[in-house]
Every structure is written in C-alpha cells, then in structure tokens.
Amino acid sequence: MPIFVDRRLNPKDKSLGNRQRFLRRVRAELKRSVQEQIRAGKIADVDGEHAIAMPAAGTGEPSFREAKDSGRRQHVLPGNQRFTPGDQLPKPGQGGGMGSSPGSQASEDDFRFILSREEVLDLFFEDLELPDMVKLNLKEILAFKPRWAGYSVSGAPTNISVARTMRNSHGRRIALRRPKREEIEAILREIASLEAAGAADRRRIAALRAELDRLERRRRVIAFVDPVDIRFNRFDPQPQPNANAVMFCLMDVSGSMGQREKDLAKRFFVLLHLFLKRRYDRTELVFIRHTHTAQEVDEETFFHSTQSGGTVVSTALEEMQRVIAARYPSREWNIYAAQASDGDNLATDSERCLSLMDGEIMRLCQYFAYVEIIDERESEIFGSTDNGTSLWRAYLTVKDRWRNFDMSRIARASDIYPVFRRLFTRQPASQRE
Amino acid sequence: MPEHASQRELLFSGSDWSFRSLSRAYDVIEAVAKEELGLDTYPVQMEVISSEQMLDAYSSIGMPLMYRHWSFGKHFLYRELLYRKGGRGLAYELVINANPCIVYLMEENTMALQALVTAHAAFGHNHFFKNNYLFRQWTDAGAILGYLDFAKGFIARCEERHGVQAVEAILDAAHALMEQGVFRYRRPPRLSSAKQREGLRERLDYEERSYNDLWRTIPRLAEGGKADEMEDGVAERKRALNLPEENLLYFLEKNSLILEPWQREILRIVRVIAQYFYPQRQTQVMNEGCATFVHYTIMNALFDQGRIGEGAMLEILRNHANVVLQPGFDDPRFSGINPYALGLDMMQDIQRIATAPTAEDRDWFPEIAGAGDWRAILLEAWANHRDESFIRQFLSPALIRKWRMFVLSDTASERFYSVASIHNERGYEQIRSALARRYDIGASHADIQVVDVDLLGQRHLRLQHTINDGILLENDSCDATLRHIRTLWGYDVTLQGVDAQTGATLYERSGRQSPG
C-alpha cells in the first residue's frame, strides 16, 4: 500500500520566483521589445499579452560544447530502405534530401514566449505614478454610497430593523414577565369548562376571573412592542473613489500634421491610455480631431485620415466641453486630456483657448497634458526656451495658473518616454506644495 | 481468454479516477510486479499534482525541491510555450529517485493512464533505481531530498546575506561547468547527514569569525628556499593538488584562492546535483526501456486476468504506441533514436531469444539463447549494465534488421555523409559498437582536465582538452565558459586543445575578463 499525497492544493507557481529572476535579467531587452510592439498596434490592443522573442542578451548558458563543424563522427540511424555501404548522402543545407541532420535539435535559445498582461505593463510602468493621485482622489470625491453602520434609536420608519426590534421586544417581554397568550387561553378554557359543568364552584370561577383580569391588564401595560425596543438601521455615507476614467485625445490634423507627427502623437496617447487603464477599472477613450472645425471620431479615422484646412485649436476644446457635458459628468469621471499639436494656431484663437482653459476645462480635468510636436531641426532651437508658437505661449500662462497642467515638446520617438515620464512622474511632495 | 476472466471484477470502469481506485490498482499491479516479474522496489509515495505543477516540477530539472535560479524560469517559459502550442504534451509522469520513491500523477490523466503510470514509474523506474549498480554506487536515494532541502535553504540564505546578484554569478559559473563537475571514475563521498553538515557549517562560521590576517604572513616551512628546484617543484605541486583533475568544479571548490566559504559551498551543491544525475544520463535507454517493458508486461497480464476492460486497454495501448514510436531517419518527425523504443525492443528481444531462439541467436548469444528464464536475464541486465555496455552486449542482428539500422560516417570537411555499414552480416558488429559508443558518456563529451597551476607565481590555471576524432569545441560558448572559470578561479585561465593521437597542440584559448 503506497502513500498517497494530494498536492493539488499546494501553492502553484513554484517557478514564479524563477520566472521573475529571468525577467529581471532580461529586463532591458524585453522593455525595448514591448515598446516596439505597442507602437505598431492599436491603442486599446496594447493592454494584452505579448509574444516576445527570447532575448539573447544575458540568457545564454554556455558550456563546453562540441563544434558541429569539426571532426569525424558516426551516426547510427534507423529506417534504411535503400542504402548500401559506400553510398553518399548530401549533407543538409547542401541541397540534400535528409529531413534533419542527425542529432540536430531546435535551439532552446530562440523561442518566443508569452509575457502576461501584468508582466508587460510592469515593464512599461515600472516607476510611474499619476501626479498626486492620492490627493486628487481625496479632494475630488463626489460620489457617496450609503454603508450600513450599525443600529440607532432614531431614524426614518423605512429603516426600522425588524429583526433587531423584535429581539429587543422579546427580551423585554421575558424580563417583565408579560403574560403569554397560552396562559390566558388556559384560564378561559378552565372557566368555560367550569361554567359548562354548572355553577359548582363559584369561588373558583371568581378567582379565575380576577386572575384573568390581572393578566389582561398586565398585557396592556407591557406592550408587545414598545417604543424603547425599536432600532433603526443606520447608514453612513461612504465616499466612493471614482472608478472610471476618460481620456480625451485631442489632435490637430491639419495638413501640417504629417505621418511622423501622428505617429509620435499616437505613441504618446498609447502610453497615457495604458497608464490610466492600470490605475482605473475602466478607461474610455474619446478621440477628437480638429482643423478649423472639430469632431469626435473613432481611432482609425483619428490616426489614419488626413484632412486639410486651417487650424483653430479652440474648436477642439469646445468639442471636448460638449462631450463632457453630454456624457462624462465630472463628478463621476476622472477626466484626463492629452493634446497633441504642432502648435500652429491663430494668435487670436490662442487667446480664446486660454480663456476656455481658465474658464472651465481645467476645473473639470484631473490632468491636462499638452505635447507639442516639433521638427527635429527645431528641437535644438526651441528645446530649452520658453519661446515658441502662439499656442505654446498661451499655454505657458495656463501652466502658471494651474498645477494640473503640464506641457512639453517632442521631436523624435525617443523623446516620448522621457517626456511622458516627466509629465507623469510623481514629484516630491515638497516641490508640489 | 482465460476462463476465470469473467468472474474477476474490473479494477475500474470509466475514465475518472479516485484515490480508492488508484489504491486498488496499485495493489493489483504490485502483485503482478512482485510475483510475475520479481521486481524489488523502494516504498512508493504517490503525489497527485496539476498540470501547472507538473510544468513547475519539470523546469527545475525534475526535482521537487530546488534552489532558485533564472535559468529554471527560462526553461519554464519554454516548456509552457511548447505545452500551450500543443507542440509537446506533458509527460504523464515524473519519478524521483529517492527513498521512498516519489511518483507524480497528473490530475488530468484518466484512470487508465494512472494505472499505466503506476506500473511504469512506481515499479519500472523504481526497480531500476533501486537495483542498477550505477545508482547503488553513486547516488544516495535516502539522502537526496534532505540534501536538496538544505541546498535550497542555504542558497536562499546566501541571497539574503550577499545579494541575489552575487549568488547568481556563482551559480551561472557553476552551471556552465556541470558537465565537467562529476567524478567519472571514483565514487564521490556519501552525502553527509544534516547534522554533520551543520557541524561543518559551524566550523566554517567559526573560522570566518576568528580569521586573523596576520597568520597569512608567517612563512610556511615546506616552501621556504627551494625556488631553484623548479623541475621538482612542478611535479611536486601536481602531486599535491592531485593533478590532473577531471572534476573542474571539485578542483575549483577545493583550490580556488578567491572564493569565500559560502561560494565554495554553492559549487559543492551544484557538483552534488550534477553527480546525482550522472547515472541517469548514462542509463536513459535502460531506465526507460525497463519502465516501458514493465508497464507493457503488467498491463497485458492484467488484461489477460480480466482486470482491465477492453476500452481502457485500447487507451493504454494507444498511449504506449505513442511513447515507443520510432520514425525512420527520413521521416519529418525523426529526432534521433527514441530511448523508450530502443530499450523496450531490446528487452523484448531478450525475452524472445531466451524463449524462442533462432540459429543466429544461438551463435550470437550462446549464454542466454533458449535459457528460458527471461526474467532472470532481464533482472541481471537491469542491475549490472549501463546503456553503453547493455547495447554492446545485447543488441541482436535480428533487432538491427528490424530497425534497419545503418551507420553514417560524417567528416566535417567533406560535403557528403557516407554510409559505412548497413544491417547485413558485415555490418552488425560495427553498428552495434557505433551505437554503444554513442551512449558512452565518457566518449561523447569533451574531455577537459586541469593539468597545471602555479599557486605561488601568477596563479595561471591550465586546462587541457584532449581532442578525439578531431572534434573541437564551439568557440563562442567555449570562451564564455572559460570566462566563467576565470570568475571562479580569479586569475588567468587557458585551455589547450591537444590531439589525443598525435599529441600536437591544435589550439589555445584563454578566458579573459569579459571582453566588453
């Protein structure tokens, strides 16, 4: 009789630690590859699992191995149908007909493996935090949900707790010895039977009637349910953190925004989306593009169709206001916006943008990031100065007034991640206050 | 069909298993194994696990307890991928050479498969582990799990004290030398008990605490003033260090001047594990053959007794056929010789030779042909052979013909393979010895030894690779391995390739600190 042990409920994932060690080892390589894939896909698709080619760096396990291309060997093989000694076979890779060379095996070192969603995102957002997440949440809590908080002696009739009330009344009735119905009925039966038997024992009947009187009086005095028994359920309003986030992607699609600019913008939006998705249960995307007019569109149109026309940035902001008013009340939604543009705008319209931002938008938004996509050649000129397009200068004013606004310039793909990090990295508390 | 078949009740019906049916099947299988095959086994512990846990167990080189290392994570991902793609099924079973012998059963298996696995692992492998001379001599079945438990804890403590990175560096280097980390010819010392290890550790701790650097400066008696006798010195120190030494891990563990005690202990752990698996690597064909032969025989016996239904038997036979499938060399599925198939066929061949020999068998195997008692012959073979000697002794012309084996000569410099021998009168001997040689681990792995080291001078470590048949080493991985050795040794390391026949030096490589 062997010993049987059921190990199925033992902790699974014994190799988790080993896998983490492996991922840590090849982190840099994986990160590059994940970012590469996210660039190519749709914004909403990126939040999934990814097949990653086995990164070569640092995962080789060398040993003293025989070189296949040296020396003399003998292979013993089964299944000879046609050969006689002295026959010659071409080697594989030299136009030969052999299925695979003897003893060769697929290398373990170039397989593709699947990173789980968590692993992908961990690689992406190693140390990013939304700005002042906690503080914003506490400040912005607007939704409350009642939460049961025990019993109270006062309250609305709808909140009476029947069970608790009856329990109290029962205890009180026992304590004060309220006569039970059965006792009264027993006396009534006895009286009835005595009366039916003829007036044999009048004294006994009178005594019983007196007793009955006493009991009934007592029952009236000691109420079945007394006001002191009554308990009400109490509900405290519990603040509910918003679990929804909506992200507005605003983009200038006028002729000046070419494929390169859109590509850069897309990657920035991807990052933002992933990032929000990680923080909130539900994130929605709203794509608004504009030329001299603005409209809400789907992702495909947003990134892949070109329009031409003048540029009036404020139309996008107005469209955003309209969508918020129609679908995303700011007390239920955390609203984020990212705007990408080449900064080309009419001077008068930039003034209008400023007033729209000051007037309402910045109050509605948790965070508004403006990314200006500039030419690589310009990056040297504009990189470090506050000078720039009229929109840039207008937004600089917004930045001074609103802490939840930030802006940056991007010239090439490699800028995106650092800029994103700069915009979204948690800043030391001292700097914020 | 035997007449009593209908009276016996079936061991199980349907595909679901329960612990009761597992246990009942075990008892019946045990009866057949002991009475009809005469197997002698360790007590068994059967553990039911899920497929995920099987993947886990698999990727830490099949051991239930293992220290942590990234390469196991890599292998897990690799196996998981194959499993998910359906490219390779999981093994139905895993068995640990320990006392008691641990057999894993996968929860997903049907009852018929569980019975098959029980016969295969709990009796076939178990008998082989307990009785084969290599395992008896070289592994301590009773101590291995205790030792692994210690190793896991020790390495975890090292990671806490010295950091994961530092431990990883030593493990990486030690893993690279696993193949050169075994004693091939002399038996390693038995694994000490936990208590003795504890004593040793305390002593090391004490030495570490009470180490005084001053003592190092006192000149040693034997080494004073004999610098002129260089020639003598070389021979002397080779003797003192027991050179040449084939076990590189052992040499580094004992003689490296830069390793700290905990690092030496890690080398020792890796070395002990490599040594534990060394017999398994030499007995693949025999071990799998034995287990397959045993399950096939037992399952058929049970079917004959009417204890297994026809449906279950069909399922068992289908799985059996998958396991012993041997495609020909030109089949796209071909990936070398299947040890299950070769082992089973050879053992059934022995059975045939013992009971119904042909004239040819009588010529080739005069001792066993017609001896009748095939059980005794097999028990004797399982106990006293490894793959190489087993094939050299028992591969019969009949089997060579059945498999249509042939030998290809492969000279790297030529554009063609040439067929050296085929399954005919002149080829049998050659095929047999070529195949045996392929399973000779001593001959098929690079022979690399420590030949010299100058402990007083620049401490240059010299390794020698004895080249047989002109087979060199892969340059890149050779250099990387040498760098690992350098990490452990701390000073320059060179590897000299010397031709075994001519004695000429064919190459020399050195392990420089990482080339950037």
Side-chain angles (χ1 to χ4, degrees), chain A residues 293-328:
Chain A
T293 57
Q295 74 188 116
E296 190 189 343
V297 293
D298 60 21
E299 183 178 341
E300 198 62 25
T301 325
F302 187 70
F303 287 111
H304 299 293
S305 83
T306 42
Q307 270 190 331
S308 57
T311 310
V312 184
V313 177
S314 62
T315 56
L317 297 178
E318 282 162 356
E319 175 75 3
M320 175 175 162
Q321 264 178 330
R322 189 189 65 75
V323 175
I324 291 176
R327 304 211 302 266
Y328 301 102

Short mmCIF file of all heavy atoms in Angstrom, two decimals, chain A residues 293-328:
data_model
loop_
_atom_site.label_atom_id
_atom_site.label_comp_id
_atom_site.label_asym_id
_atom_site.label_seq_id
_atom_site.Cartn_x
_atom_site.Cartn_y
_atom_site.Cartn_z
N THR A 293 -12.49 73.12 -37.85
CA THR A 293 -13.65 72.65 -37.09
C THR A 293 -13.21 71.38 -36.38
O THR A 293 -12.22 70.76 -36.75
CB THR A 293 -14.84 72.31 -38.00
OG1 THR A 293 -14.39 71.32 -38.92
CG2 THR A 293 -15.37 73.51 -38.72
N ALA A 294 -13.97 70.99 -35.37
CA ALA A 294 -13.57 69.81 -34.61
C ALA A 294 -14.68 68.79 -34.62
O ALA A 294 -15.86 69.13 -34.71
CB ALA A 294 -13.24 70.19 -33.18
N GLN A 295 -14.33 67.51 -34.54
CA GLN A 295 -15.36 66.50 -34.40
C GLN A 295 -14.81 65.29 -33.67
O GLN A 295 -13.60 65.05 -33.65
CB GLN A 295 -15.91 66.09 -35.77
CG GLN A 295 -14.94 65.22 -36.55
CD GLN A 295 -15.42 65.01 -37.95
OE1 GLN A 295 -14.78 65.43 -38.92
NE2 GLN A 295 -16.57 64.35 -38.07
N GLU A 296 -15.74 64.55 -33.07
CA GLU A 296 -15.34 63.33 -32.38
C GLU A 296 -15.32 62.22 -33.41
O GLU A 296 -16.26 62.05 -34.18
CB GLU A 296 -16.34 63.01 -31.27
CG GLU A 296 -15.84 61.90 -30.37
CD GLU A 296 -16.90 61.42 -29.40
OE1 GLU A 296 -17.90 62.14 -29.19
OE2 GLU A 296 -16.73 60.32 -28.86
N VAL A 297 -14.24 61.40 -33.42
CA VAL A 297 -14.12 60.35 -34.43
C VAL A 297 -13.64 59.06 -33.76
O VAL A 297 -13.32 59.05 -32.57
CB VAL A 297 -13.10 60.74 -35.53
CG1 VAL A 297 -13.61 61.91 -36.33
CG2 VAL A 297 -11.75 61.04 -34.91
N ASP A 298 -13.57 57.97 -34.55
CA ASP A 298 -13.01 56.74 -33.99
C ASP A 298 -11.49 56.73 -34.20
O ASP A 298 -10.93 57.58 -34.88
CB ASP A 298 -13.68 55.50 -34.59
CG ASP A 298 -13.50 55.44 -36.09
OD1 ASP A 298 -12.55 56.09 -36.60
OD2 ASP A 298 -14.29 54.76 -36.75
N GLU A 299 -10.88 55.73 -33.61
CA GLU A 299 -9.43 55.73 -33.60
C GLU A 299 -8.84 55.66 -35.00
O GLU A 299 -7.86 56.33 -35.32
CB GLU A 299 -8.93 54.53 -32.77
CG GLU A 299 -7.42 54.50 -32.64
CD GLU A 299 -6.93 53.34 -31.79
OE1 GLU A 299 -7.74 52.78 -31.02
OE2 GLU A 299 -5.75 53.02 -31.90
N GLU A 300 -9.46 54.82 -35.83
CA GLU A 300 -8.97 54.62 -37.18
C GLU A 300 -8.88 55.96 -37.91
O GLU A 300 -7.85 56.33 -38.45
CB GLU A 300 -9.94 53.67 -37.90
CG GLU A 300 -9.38 53.03 -39.13
CD GLU A 300 -8.18 52.16 -38.83
OE1 GLU A 300 -8.04 51.66 -37.68
OE2 GLU A 300 -7.38 51.98 -39.74
N THR A 301 -9.99 56.68 -37.88
CA THR A 301 -10.04 57.97 -38.56
C THR A 301 -9.06 58.94 -37.93
O THR A 301 -8.40 59.72 -38.61
CB THR A 301 -11.46 58.57 -38.43
OG1 THR A 301 -12.38 57.49 -38.48
CG2 THR A 301 -11.72 59.54 -39.53
N PHE A 302 -9.00 58.85 -36.62
CA PHE A 302 -8.18 59.79 -35.87
C PHE A 302 -6.73 59.75 -36.34
O PHE A 302 -6.11 60.77 -36.58
CB PHE A 302 -8.26 59.41 -34.39
CG PHE A 302 -7.60 60.37 -33.45
CD1 PHE A 302 -8.14 61.63 -33.22
CD2 PHE A 302 -6.45 60.01 -32.77
CE1 PHE A 302 -7.54 62.50 -32.33
CE2 PHE A 302 -5.85 60.88 -31.88
CZ PHE A 302 -6.40 62.13 -31.66
N PHE A 303 -6.23 58.53 -36.49
CA PHE A 303 -4.81 58.42 -36.81
C PHE A 303 -4.52 58.28 -38.30
O PHE A 303 -3.41 58.46 -38.73
CB PHE A 303 -4.19 57.24 -36.07
CG PHE A 303 -4.04 57.52 -34.61
CD1 PHE A 303 -4.81 56.83 -33.69
CD2 PHE A 303 -3.15 58.47 -34.16
CE1 PHE A 303 -4.68 57.09 -32.35
CE2 PHE A 303 -3.02 58.73 -32.81
CZ PHE A 303 -3.79 58.05 -31.90
N HIS A 304 -5.53 57.87 -39.07
CA HIS A 304 -5.14 57.47 -40.40
C HIS A 304 -5.76 58.27 -41.54
O HIS A 304 -5.51 57.98 -42.68
CB HIS A 304 -5.40 55.98 -40.60
CG HIS A 304 -4.61 55.15 -39.63
ND1 HIS A 304 -3.23 55.07 -39.69
CD2 HIS A 304 -4.99 54.43 -38.57
CE1 HIS A 304 -2.80 54.31 -38.71
NE2 HIS A 304 -3.84 53.90 -38.00
N SER A 305 -6.59 59.24 -41.22
CA SER A 305 -7.05 60.03 -42.36
C SER A 305 -6.55 61.46 -42.22
O SER A 305 -6.40 61.97 -41.11
CB SER A 305 -8.58 59.99 -42.45
OG SER A 305 -9.12 60.95 -41.59
N THR A 306 -6.26 62.01 -43.33
CA THR A 306 -5.79 63.39 -43.28
C THR A 306 -6.88 64.30 -43.78
O THR A 306 -7.69 63.94 -44.60
CB THR A 306 -4.54 63.59 -44.16
OG1 THR A 306 -4.76 62.88 -45.37
CG2 THR A 306 -3.31 63.13 -43.46
N GLN A 307 -6.86 65.47 -43.25
CA GLN A 307 -7.78 66.49 -43.70
C GLN A 307 -6.91 67.69 -43.96
O GLN A 307 -5.79 67.77 -43.49
CB GLN A 307 -8.76 66.84 -42.58
CG GLN A 307 -10.01 66.01 -42.59
CD GLN A 307 -11.01 66.58 -41.64
OE1 GLN A 307 -10.63 67.20 -40.65
NE2 GLN A 307 -12.27 66.39 -41.92
N SER A 308 -7.47 68.61 -44.67
CA SER A 308 -6.71 69.84 -44.68
C SER A 308 -7.66 70.99 -44.43
O SER A 308 -8.88 70.85 -44.56
CB SER A 308 -5.96 70.03 -46.00
OG SER A 308 -6.90 69.99 -47.04
N GLY A 309 -7.09 72.06 -44.06
CA GLY A 309 -7.90 73.22 -43.70
C GLY A 309 -7.11 74.03 -42.71
O GLY A 309 -6.00 73.65 -42.31
N GLY A 310 -7.69 75.08 -42.31
CA GLY A 310 -7.00 75.95 -41.37
C GLY A 310 -6.96 75.31 -40.01
O GLY A 310 -7.40 74.18 -39.80
N THR A 311 -6.35 76.00 -39.08
CA THR A 311 -6.23 75.45 -37.75
C THR A 311 -6.89 76.38 -36.76
O THR A 311 -6.49 77.54 -36.64
CB THR A 311 -4.74 75.31 -37.38
OG1 THR A 311 -4.10 74.63 -38.45
CG2 THR A 311 -4.59 74.52 -36.12
N VAL A 312 -7.91 75.86 -36.08
CA VAL A 312 -8.50 76.63 -34.99
C VAL A 312 -8.58 75.69 -33.79
O VAL A 312 -9.46 74.86 -33.69
CB VAL A 312 -9.90 77.16 -35.37
CG1 VAL A 312 -10.42 78.03 -34.22
CG2 VAL A 312 -9.84 77.96 -36.65
N VAL A 313 -7.60 75.82 -32.90
CA VAL A 313 -7.47 74.86 -31.82
C VAL A 313 -8.65 74.91 -30.87
O VAL A 313 -9.09 73.89 -30.35
CB VAL A 313 -6.15 75.12 -31.06
CG1 VAL A 313 -6.03 74.18 -29.87
CG2 VAL A 313 -4.97 74.97 -31.99
N SER A 314 -9.19 76.10 -30.68
CA SER A 314 -10.25 76.22 -29.67
C SER A 314 -11.46 75.37 -30.00
O SER A 314 -12.19 74.95 -29.11
CB SER A 314 -10.66 77.68 -29.53
OG SER A 314 -11.18 78.13 -30.77
N THR A 315 -11.65 75.04 -31.30
CA THR A 315 -12.81 74.22 -31.64
C THR A 315 -12.73 72.86 -30.96
O THR A 315 -13.73 72.31 -30.51
CB THR A 315 -12.89 74.00 -33.17
OG1 THR A 315 -11.65 73.44 -33.60
CG2 THR A 315 -13.15 75.30 -33.89
N ALA A 316 -11.52 72.34 -30.85
CA ALA A 316 -11.34 71.04 -30.19
C ALA A 316 -11.70 71.14 -28.73
O ALA A 316 -12.34 70.23 -28.17
CB ALA A 316 -9.89 70.56 -30.35
N LEU A 317 -11.30 72.23 -28.10
CA LEU A 317 -11.60 72.39 -26.68
C LEU A 317 -13.10 72.52 -26.46
O LEU A 317 -13.66 71.95 -25.52
CB LEU A 317 -10.88 73.61 -26.13
CG LEU A 317 -9.35 73.53 -26.18
CD1 LEU A 317 -8.73 74.82 -25.66
CD2 LEU A 317 -8.83 72.34 -25.38
N GLU A 318 -13.74 73.22 -27.40
CA GLU A 318 -15.20 73.36 -27.27
C GLU A 318 -15.88 72.01 -27.45
O GLU A 318 -16.82 71.67 -26.71
CB GLU A 318 -15.73 74.35 -28.32
CG GLU A 318 -15.48 75.79 -27.91
CD GLU A 318 -15.58 76.75 -29.09
OE1 GLU A 318 -15.78 76.27 -30.22
OE2 GLU A 318 -15.45 77.97 -28.87
N GLU A 319 -15.38 71.24 -28.42
CA GLU A 319 -15.95 69.90 -28.65
C GLU A 319 -15.78 69.05 -27.39
O GLU A 319 -16.68 68.33 -26.98
CB GLU A 319 -15.27 69.25 -29.86
CG GLU A 319 -15.69 67.82 -30.13
CD GLU A 319 -17.08 67.71 -30.76
OE1 GLU A 319 -17.69 68.77 -31.03
OE2 GLU A 319 -17.55 66.58 -30.96
N MET A 320 -14.62 69.17 -26.77
CA MET A 320 -14.36 68.40 -25.57
C MET A 320 -15.35 68.78 -24.46
O MET A 320 -15.93 67.93 -23.81
CB MET A 320 -12.93 68.65 -25.11
CG MET A 320 -12.57 67.98 -23.80
SD MET A 320 -10.83 68.23 -23.45
CE MET A 320 -10.82 67.86 -21.68
N GLN A 321 -15.57 70.09 -24.32
CA GLN A 321 -16.54 70.57 -23.32
C GLN A 321 -17.91 69.99 -23.59
O GLN A 321 -18.60 69.55 -22.68
CB GLN A 321 -16.64 72.09 -23.39
CG GLN A 321 -15.76 72.79 -22.39
CD GLN A 321 -15.86 74.30 -22.54
OE1 GLN A 321 -16.08 74.80 -23.64
NE2 GLN A 321 -15.67 75.00 -21.44
N ARG A 322 -18.26 69.95 -24.88
CA ARG A 322 -19.58 69.46 -25.25
C ARG A 322 -19.71 67.97 -24.87
O ARG A 322 -20.69 67.55 -24.25
CB ARG A 322 -19.80 69.63 -26.76
CG ARG A 322 -21.22 69.33 -27.21
CD ARG A 322 -21.33 69.31 -28.72
NE ARG A 322 -20.57 68.21 -29.33
CZ ARG A 322 -20.97 66.92 -29.29
NH1 ARG A 322 -22.07 66.59 -28.69
NH2 ARG A 322 -20.23 65.99 -29.87
N VAL A 323 -18.69 67.18 -25.19
CA VAL A 323 -18.74 65.75 -24.90
C VAL A 323 -18.79 65.50 -23.40
O VAL A 323 -19.54 64.65 -22.91
CB VAL A 323 -17.52 65.02 -25.52
CG1 VAL A 323 -17.51 63.57 -25.12
CG2 VAL A 323 -17.55 65.14 -27.04
N ILE A 324 -18.02 66.30 -22.65
CA ILE A 324 -18.05 66.14 -21.20
C ILE A 324 -19.44 66.40 -20.67
O ILE A 324 -19.98 65.62 -19.89
CB ILE A 324 -17.04 67.09 -20.52
CG1 ILE A 324 -15.61 66.65 -20.83
CG2 ILE A 324 -17.26 67.10 -19.00
CD1 ILE A 324 -14.56 67.57 -20.28
N ALA A 325 -20.02 67.49 -21.17
CA ALA A 325 -21.35 67.86 -20.68
C ALA A 325 -22.36 66.78 -21.05
O ALA A 325 -23.24 66.43 -20.26
CB ALA A 325 -21.76 69.19 -21.28
N ALA A 326 -22.19 66.19 -22.23
CA ALA A 326 -23.17 65.23 -22.69
C ALA A 326 -22.98 63.87 -22.02
O ALA A 326 -23.96 63.20 -21.67
CB ALA A 326 -23.08 65.07 -24.21
N ARG A 327 -21.75 63.40 -21.84
CA ARG A 327 -21.57 62.00 -21.45
C ARG A 327 -20.73 61.77 -20.19
O ARG A 327 -20.82 60.72 -19.59
CB ARG A 327 -20.89 61.25 -22.61
CG ARG A 327 -21.62 61.33 -23.93
CD ARG A 327 -21.39 60.09 -24.74
NE ARG A 327 -19.98 59.83 -25.00
CZ ARG A 327 -19.34 60.25 -26.09
NH1 ARG A 327 -19.97 60.94 -27.01
NH2 ARG A 327 -18.07 59.97 -26.27
N TYR A 328 -19.90 62.69 -19.84
CA TYR A 328 -18.98 62.40 -18.75
C TYR A 328 -19.06 63.43 -17.64
O TYR A 328 -18.17 64.27 -17.49
CB TYR A 328 -17.54 62.31 -19.28
CG TYR A 328 -17.38 61.26 -20.34
CD1 TYR A 328 -17.32 61.59 -21.69
CD2 TYR A 328 -17.28 59.92 -19.98
CE1 TYR A 328 -17.18 60.61 -22.66
CE2 TYR A 328 -17.16 58.94 -20.94
CZ TYR A 328 -17.10 59.29 -22.28
OH TYR A 328 -16.96 58.32 -23.21
#
